[in-house]
């Protein structure tokens, strides 16, 4: 679901890994009031490169309040490639308005299996976001979702993403299903190119619009080759390890 990047996909088999519980140190933060669409969370936003939004990302809780979650293919070109540069994040973006401004994306991190072979089961990435001249953390301004790994394949979620051809986010609520051992799927219409990296949020609070993220659009077929069905790599111990590496160096 990402335009302008060519990928060679080599599916590498991985041994089954034990499920891990929701990371215990995480706590949901209250989102500040913001000029964002009523159906969308201010913790979700668009990723920009060269003045155009091309993917979606969201804020996940961390001690420093600056961690982003997205699909690996949104920040790294996969096998034979490298990390994208010059990327910015606009939380709550809509109608050409970035209510919290643009945040520089850095410290990108994806799994070795993604950089080596574009493994669709590892299409998850983390990064940090910073804004020059802003004293407050991103999370203190927009809130953050919890991160969970090792969860059930079937869960009711809220899915959010920014289509390339739209200036407002698409939002859908439905129940996920198991695609295979390391992949989830959900049927939601209206999620074409650009929605990659959009969070799959379980237990969303209707007031804060925050919850627990269990997936991101990505994985199989880079998130799906039609706009009505989306996929996610299953969040297991590999994802938890990436999160811990990201928070350890922020």
């Amino acid at each position: 679901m990402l335009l302008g990047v060519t990928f060679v996909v080599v599916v590498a088999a991985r041994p089954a890994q034990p499920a891990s519980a929701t990371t215990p140190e995480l706590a949901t933060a209250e989102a500040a009031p913001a000029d964002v669409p009523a159906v969308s969370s201010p913790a979700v936003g668009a990723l920009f490169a060269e003045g155009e939004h091309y993917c979606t990302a969201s804020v996940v809780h961390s001690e420093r309040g600056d961690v982003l979650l997205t699909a690996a293919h949104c920040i790294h070109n996969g096998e034979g490639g490298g990390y994208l540069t010059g990327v910015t994040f606009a939380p709550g973006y809509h109608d050409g308005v970035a209510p919290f401004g643009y945040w520089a994306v850095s410290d990108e991190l994806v799994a070795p299996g993604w950089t080596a072979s574009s493994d669709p089961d590892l299409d998850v990435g983390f990064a940090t976001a910073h804004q020059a001249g802003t004293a407050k953390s991103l999370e203190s301004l927009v809130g953050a979702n919890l991160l969970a790994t090792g969860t059930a394949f079937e869960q009711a979620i809220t899915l959010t993403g920014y289509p390339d051809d739209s200036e407002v986010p698409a939002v859908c609520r439905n129940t996920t299903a198991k695609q295979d051992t390391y992949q989830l799927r959900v049927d939601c219409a209206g999620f074409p190119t650009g929605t990659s990296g959009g969070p799959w949020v379980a237990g969303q609070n209707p007031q804060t619009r925050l919850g627990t993220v269990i997936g991101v659009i990505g994985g199989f077929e880079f998130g799906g080759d039609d706009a009505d069905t989306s996929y996610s790599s299953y969040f297991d111990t590999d994802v938890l390890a990436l999160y811990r590496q990201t928070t350890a160096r922020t």
Side-chain angles (χ1 to χ4, degrees), residues 184-199:
L184 299 169
R185 63 173 286 165
V186 67
D187 294 324
C188 274
F191 283 78
T193 301
T195 57
S196 286

Side-chain angles (χ1 to χ4, degrees), residues 125-220:
F126 291 90
T128 60
H130 304 278
Q131 187 181 70
T134 300
K136 293 184 177 180
S137 71
L138 176 58
E139 183 174 333
S140 71
L141 297 174
V142 303
N145 293 310
L146 299 174
L147 175 71
T149 61
T151 62
F153 282 93
E154 295 185 6
Q155 295 192 62
I157 64 160
T158 299
L159 182 64
T160 307
Y162 284 83
D164 275 356
D165 60 358
S166 176
E167 291 297 286
V168 294
V171 180
C172 172
R173 294 177 179 86
N174 208 342
T175 300
T176 63
K178 183 177 181 178
Q179 172 70 8
D180 61 34
T181 304
Y182 296 112
Q183 297 282 327
L184 299 169
R185 63 173 286 165
V186 67
D187 294 324
C188 274
F191 283 78
T193 301
T195 57
S196 286
W200 302 31
V201 179
Q204 187 181 65
N205 183 303
Q207 280 72 49
T208 65
R209 289 169 279 174
L210 301 171
T212 302
V213 61
I214 64 165
V216 294
I217 296 178
F220 181 61

Side-chain angles (χ1 to χ4, degrees), residues 25 37 47 50 56 58 65 73 77 83 86 108 110 122 150 156 174 182-183 185 198 207 234 243 247:
E25 69 272 18
L47 290 177
E50 299 181 352
T56 305
S58 61
H73 75 259
N77 288 331
Y83 286 99
E108 297 94 334
V110 298
L122 295 169
N174 208 342
Y182 296 112
Q183 297 282 327
R185 63 173 286 165
Q207 280 72 49
Y234 181 72
Y243 169 80
T247 56

